[in-house]
């Protein structure tokens, strides 16, 4: 089977590629805007440069491909338009199976335990909006006779996660994040990046209905903690204590006194073509919303029907911390 | 979900799998623990989301000796979050010895062991936001915290036991959004439980009866009803529900309301440490998870057996506030401000024995002559307590002269004549009000005396210092303010024998298997520990038990169907 991983050089894409390479029956094609050479040729992996928004180049790349894993990220238009051109190209080019990486953000601000039948709610910003639109394109692909599966992971962590491991760790180490009480009581819905990759591989192999429906699976570790617990565990593992405790006012002060101004500076720097990558990041308001949101993904379908074997949260945490510390050790040596 | 009682019709009967009455430490933690387990839970609260004097007034009752016990509407709260709205946050588990039948403590012994409850202390810590369940000072800190006294080493007297402090967390405010989002839990406020209705055969609870202040009445029928209404209100409810069993529910043997305990507490004596002031560590440590922790002096279990005493702790404390000879501006400032401090926290500043303008003047002099004390204290207090979400737990003063008093918190012997009973007075719903007759024993004072002597001996033997106190005024020192407020223990005690207990080891009322009590009311003995952490641990254990019982029932019904 020949599998193309769109966005194969991203955080999730790399994990998917790594897992697929272990399969002797699978030939992997990494499709990316900037394909590197490192994996090219080795172990049945080839690379191809594709702009996911360019239907024509996609169509050409899809020749001979049996399945596509869509891990494309980026800004809203890349996500939504990328899915649209993928569907259009796939319909023209032999109708490969699509495994689409969606997100729990498609559930918007809804609270409670949500299974895959919950409605999609476009009320929490551009990311959820784009992902809902992307999912609707993929669903159309199924309706028009293609085979498609959508995966809705929660917050993907593990070694290599810049936003959810390194960024959070930096805030905690700088005492710019804390135990947030009720403001951090939301279930974190953490899922190990390797479990997401595992779900992708399982979705590539599962029997799919040819009735125009698109199976969907929530992905989150069943033992995933709440945000406050994650912050505390990370603090203790990094020896970054004592963990502070903030109330709602203190969190607001951090967001609007620091997070928002830093974001504005970053934008200005971008306009001036300055490199703002190493600048400190502040907490955006959207994150505060997520941390307080009482949303819990029901993952029984992924466990039972897809057969995902979940990595225990404690192991994911330990490996993430190991990655962080290896990174800082490397920096210290340099 | 949070639903308004306005939507319930007068005379209606609501159905649920579990009905929990009360939203304090026990009720909320039990509801949280039952979430997602497949049961419909109704969590009923009499009060509102805030303090309401008209609702709080329903807690009014009589006290036999007002010098010995606070009014019944103090130290407890009829509102969402219950008394966690005003608690101090001190957490530590009960000790293994507390569960044993000790032949030198009459009426001691629990039907469950420490091991039965032990697995629930860690989750209880978590719900109460007291951090990790680590109560050994030698393990809790990184880097290690200094000892209480440098050079102190004793098998009898331990100094590595910790108390850890909750924020203090108001369980209502903290978990409101989680409860609101849960589809299997319904919270209803403004619903006062005014009675419990047994089946005619008296073997099962039929319904719990509720009323609102605007005159509505309705019932709840549930497979399990849990009274999480605290150590005073629980016996009142059981005793007042006397239409089927004339003595009240669970009271065939006249045990409900008896064996009422608080704690024996007070500041005693003078502890002097030899050597430099940095030999003593008397304040708070902060654990890596951000929790204020503090060491205490505590007799080992072996020493308690040898000395035939109850369980007790002592903390290093500043000199008596009311005595201006301490020459401390902060303490004098507190004394002068005592009328601005809430009843619960100011009670021990309002000494009945000493009054007068001269005393006030002496305290004012202390404030004026030590301005730096007061300003740095106020700054710290504002930053770390008033404005902080995790509050600095108590006043700690700089150690200037290595002299302290000991703040004692001791177990009392359970006795059947210390009790809560009903009066002829009625509340707004027509329910009889309560009368509290709290009593203590000479042996309770002996526990303190012998323990303090052991502490003194250990200090002298190790050359650390000494502790001096007046045996003749000890009882007066400990009872000056009566029973320690807010710790209402023992009124529906658990046990194996219905003749001497009200509930079984799972908290189910003897003979009424679907009626439970989740409260310090079920503790047969009172320990050295403040009750809240063990209340929550006990409630979590009960949640586990109720979940198992309901699941077995449901499975049995499915088999029959």
């Amino acid at each position: 089977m020949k599998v193309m991983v769109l966005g194969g050089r991203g955080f999730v894409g790399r994990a998917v590629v790594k897992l697929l390479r272990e399969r002797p029956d699978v030939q992997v094609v990494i499709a990316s805007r900037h394909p590197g050479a490192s994996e090219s040729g080795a172990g049945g992996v080839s690379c191809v440069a594709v702009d996911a928004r360019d239907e024509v180049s996609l169509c050409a790349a899809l020749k001979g491909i049996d399945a596509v894993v869509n891990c494309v990220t980026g800004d809203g238009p890349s996500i939504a338009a990328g899915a649209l051109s993928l569907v259009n190209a796939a319909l023209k080019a032999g109708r490969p199976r699509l495994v689409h990486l969606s997100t729990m953000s498609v559930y918007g601000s809804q609270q409670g335990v949500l299974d895959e039948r919950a409605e999609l709610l476009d009320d929490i910003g551009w990311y959820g909006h784009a992902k809902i639109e992307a999912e609707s394109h993929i669903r159309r692909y199924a309706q028009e006779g293609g085979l498609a599966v959508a995966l809705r992971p929660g917050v993907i962590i593990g070694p290599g996660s810049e936003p959810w491991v390194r960024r959070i760790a930096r805030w905690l180490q700088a005492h710019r994040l804390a135990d947030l009480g009720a403001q951090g009581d939301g279930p974190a819905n953490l899922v190990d990046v390797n479990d997401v990759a595992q779900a992708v591989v399982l979705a590539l192999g599962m029997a799919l209905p040819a009735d125009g429906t698109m199976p969907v699976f929530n992905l989150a570790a069943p033992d995933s903690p709440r945000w406050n617990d994650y912050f505390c565990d990370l603090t203790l593992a990094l020896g970054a204590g004592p963990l502070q405790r903030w109330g709602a006012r203190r969190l607001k002060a951090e967001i609007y006194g620091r997070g928002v101004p830093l974001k504005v500076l970053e934008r200005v720097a971008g306009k001036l073509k300055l490199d703002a990558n190493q600048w400190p990041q502040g907490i955006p308001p959207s994150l505060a919303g997520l941390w307080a949101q009482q949303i819990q993904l029901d993952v029984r379908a992924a466990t039972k029907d897809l057969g995902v074997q979940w990595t225990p949260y404690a192991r994911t945490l330990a490996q993430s911390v190991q990655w962080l510390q290896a990174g800082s050790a490397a920096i210290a040596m340099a | 979900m949070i639903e308004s009682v306005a939507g319930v019709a007068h005379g209606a009967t609501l159905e649920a799998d579990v009905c929990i009455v009360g939203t304090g430490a026990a009720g909320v933690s039990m509801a949280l623990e039952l979430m997602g387990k497949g049961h419909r839970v109704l969590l009923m609260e009499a009060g509102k989301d805030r303090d309401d004097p008209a609702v709080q007034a329903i807690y009014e009752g009589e006290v036999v000796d007002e010098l010995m016990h606070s009014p019944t509407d103090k130290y407890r709260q009829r509102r969402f979050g219950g008394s966690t709205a005003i608690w101090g946050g001190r957490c530590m588990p009960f000790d293994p010895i507390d569960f044993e039948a000790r032949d030198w403590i009459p009426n001691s012994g629990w039907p469950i062991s420490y091991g039965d409850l032990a697995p629930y202390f860690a989750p209880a810590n978590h719900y109460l936001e007291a951090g990790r369940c680590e109560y050994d000072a030698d393990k809790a800190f990184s880097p290690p915290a200094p000892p209480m006294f440098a050079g102190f080493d004793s098998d009898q007297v331990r100094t590595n036991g910790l108390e850890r402090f909750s924020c203090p967390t108001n369980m209502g405010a903290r978990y409101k959004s989680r409860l609101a989002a849960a589809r299997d839990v319904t919270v209803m406020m403004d619903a006062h439980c005014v009675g419990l209705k047994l089946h005619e055969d008296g073997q099962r609870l039929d319904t719990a009866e509720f009323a609102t202040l605007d005159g509505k009445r309705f019932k709840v029928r549930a497979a399990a009803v849990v009274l999480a209404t605290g150590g005073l209100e629980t016996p009142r409810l059981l005793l007042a529900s006397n239409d089927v069993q004339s003595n009240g529910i669970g009271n065939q043997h006249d045990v409900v309301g008896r064996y009422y305990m608080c704690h024996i507490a007070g500041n005693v004596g003078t502890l002097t440490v030899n050597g430099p002031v940095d030999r003593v560590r008397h304040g708070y440590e902060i654990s890596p998870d951000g929790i204020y922790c503090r060491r205490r002096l505590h007799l080992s279990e072996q020493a308690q057996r040898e000395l035939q005493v109850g369980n007790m702790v002592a903390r290093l404390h500043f000199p008596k506030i009311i005595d201006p000879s301490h020459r401390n501006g902060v303490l004098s400032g507190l004394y002068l401000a005592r009328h601005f401090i809430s009843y619960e926290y100011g009670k021990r500043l309002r000494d009945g024995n000493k009054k007068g303008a001269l005393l006030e003047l002496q305290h004012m002099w202390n404030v004026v002559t030590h301005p730096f004390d007061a300003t740095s204290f106020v700054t710290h207090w504002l930053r770390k307590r008033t404005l902080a979400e995790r509050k600095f737990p108590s006043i700690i003063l700089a150690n200037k002269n290595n002299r302290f008093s000991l703040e004692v918190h001791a177990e009392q012997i359970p006795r059947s004549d210390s009790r809560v009973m009903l009066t002829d007075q009625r509340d707004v719903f027509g329910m009889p009000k309560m009368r509290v007759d709290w009593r203590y024993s000479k042996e309770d004072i002996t526990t303190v005396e012998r323990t303090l002597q052991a502490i003194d001996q250990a200090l002298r033997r190790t050359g650390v210092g000494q502790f001096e106190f007046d045996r003749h005024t000890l009882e007066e020192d400990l009872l000056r303010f009566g029973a320690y407020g807010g710790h209402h223990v023992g009124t529906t005690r658990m046990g194996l024998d219905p003749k001497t207990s009200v509930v079984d080891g799972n908290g189910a009322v003897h003979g009424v298997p679907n009626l439970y009590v989740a409260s310090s009311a079920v503790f047969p003995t009172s320990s050295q520990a403040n009750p809240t952490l063990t209340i929550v641990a006990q409630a979590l254990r009960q949640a586990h038990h109720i979940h198992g019982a309901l699941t077995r029932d449901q499975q049995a019904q499915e088999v029959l169907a």
Side-chain angles (χ1 to χ4, degrees), chain B residues 99-395:
Chain B
F99 297 79
E100 294 175 17
R102 292 161 284 172
D103 54 20
W104 65 98
I105 306 279
N107 305 314
S108 62
W110 293 42
I112 59 172
S113 69
Y114 175 80
D116 291 326
L117 210 48
Y120 300 95
F121 282 122
N125 258 283
H126 192 256
Y127 280 127
L128 289 170
E129 302 190 296
R132 298 296 196 253
C133 193
E134 182 53 79
Y135 284 87
D136 183 343
D138 298 337
K139 297 177 188 161
F141 306 106
S142 163
M148 183 184 271
F149 308 112
F152 183 80
D153 182 29
S154 166
D155 291 336
Q156 275 207 319
V157 180
R158 296 174 58 228
T159 55
N160 64 325
L162 285 180
E163 50 198 34
R164 305 175 66 100
F165 281 80
S166 169
C167 286
T169 298
N170 176 331
M171 295 290 277
R174 172 64 180 80
Y175 295 107
K176 189 178 179 188
S177 60
R178 201 188 292 188
L179 293 166
R183 291 169 199 188
D184 49 358
V185 176
T186 304
V187 180
M188 206 171 273
M189 296 188 212
D190 301 306
H192 301 256
C193 187
V194 293
L196 303 164
K197 188 102 182 141
L198 289 180
H199 271 287
E200 283 168 13
D201 64 5
Q203 305 293 304
R204 229 182 136 68
L205 188 76
D206 182 34
T207 52
E209 303 182 316
F210 291 86
T212 62
L213 278 174
D214 56 12
K216 189 189 291 181
R217 297 254 169 174
F218 64 97
K219 298 173 178 176
V220 174
R221 182 172 286 123
V225 171
V226 183
L227 302 181
T229 46
L232 295 181
E233 205 64 6
T234 302
R236 182 163 86 111
L237 261 171
L238 290 175
L239 292 171
S241 303
N242 59 357
D243 53 345
V244 175
Q245 292 175 349
S246 57
N247 292 336
I249 294 175
N251 199 34
Q252 294 91 324
H253 301 285
D254 190 20
V255 184
V256 172
R258 293 185 179 273
Y259 302 97
Y260 175 49
M261 291 164 280
C262 301
H263 283 105
I264 305 290
N267 292 347
V268 183
T270 305
L271 188 148
T272 314
V273 179
N274 303 326
V277 291
D278 63 6
R279 188 175 192 181
V280 192
R281 184 76 189 174
H282 71 300
Y284 290 96
E285 314 292 342
I286 298 179
S287 66
D289 44 355
I291 310 299
Y292 289 111
C293 301
R294 197 175 177 207
R295 294 174 185 267
R296 314 99 54 75
L297 293 156
H298 187 197
L299 277 195
S300 72
E301 298 198 344
Q302 183 58 31
Q304 289 181 42
R305 285 181 222 285
E306 285 164 10
L307 297 173
Q308 306 256 295
V309 293
N311 205 351
M312 174 193 132
V313 291
R315 297 178 277 264
L316 292 181
H317 204 64
F318 39 70
K320 268 182 216 160
I321 292 182
I322 46 168
D323 181 354
S325 67
H326 51 59
R327 295 176 184 279
N328 187 297
V330 174
L331 296 181
S332 288
L334 279 171
Y335 178 77
L336 294 170
R338 64 195 181 282
H339 299 297
F340 300 100
I341 301 172
S342 75
Y343 175 88
E344 282 80 1
Y345 290 94
K347 179 176 179 184
R348 283 170 188 258
L349 296 174
R350 297 181 198 123
D351 189 349
N353 300 347
K354 294 184 185 176
K355 269 186 184 151
L358 179 62
L359 187 66
E360 301 263 333
L361 276 174
Q362 286 172 311
H363 281 293
M364 280 182 208
W365 179 250
N366 281 349
V367 174
V368 172
T369 51
H370 299 84
F372 185 69
D373 276 5
T375 47
S376 65
F377 167 78
V378 168
T379 317
H380 179 262
W381 196 250
L382 273 175
R383 277 187 58 229
K384 298 291 182 185
R385 183 157 178 113
T386 311
L387 298 173
E389 187 83 357
R390 184 170 283 288
K391 300 197 178 297
F392 195 81
S394 70
I395 295 159

Side-chain angles (χ1 to χ4, degrees), chain A residues 111 185 226 229 233 243 245, chain B residues 126 129 132 178 183 288:
Chain A
Q111 306 212 77
D185 193 54
R226 290 173 188 273
D229 302 324
D233 294 340
L243 181 67
R245 166 64 174 242
Chain B
H126 192 256
E129 302 190 296
R132 298 296 196 253
R178 201 188 292 188
R183 291 169 199 188

Side-chain angles (χ1 to χ4, degrees), chain B residues 509-538:
Chain B
V509 174
H510 291 309
V512 192
N514 67 329
L515 176 61
Y516 294 85
V517 179
S519 159
S520 50
V522 306
F523 299 172
T525 53
S526 54
S527 179
Q528 47 74 22
N530 295 41
T532 305
L533 180 72
T534 304
I535 291 171
V536 174
Q538 173 71 13

Side-chain angles (χ1 to χ4, degrees), chain A residues 97-116:
Chain A
R97 170 183 293 226
L98 300 187
V99 177
H100 173 68
L101 259 293
S102 185
T103 166
M104 75 166 179
S105 297
V106 296
Y107 296 121
S109 65
Q110 292 176 82
Q111 306 212 77
V113 181
L114 300 184
D115 67 16
E116 292 81 354

Side-chain angles (χ1 to χ4, degrees), chain A residues 193-238:
Chain A
V193 65
N194 291 320
D195 294 352
V196 176
Q198 187 199 147
V200 166
V201 173
L202 290 165
L204 285 170
M206 79 179 291
L208 285 180
D211 60 355
T213 59
M214 173 183 76
V216 181
F217 297 100
N218 289 337
L219 301 177
D223 66 346
S224 165
R226 290 173 188 273
W227 284 107
N228 286 331
D229 302 324
Y230 179 52
F231 299 158
C232 185
D233 294 340
L234 206 48
T235 299
L236 294 183
L238 292 167

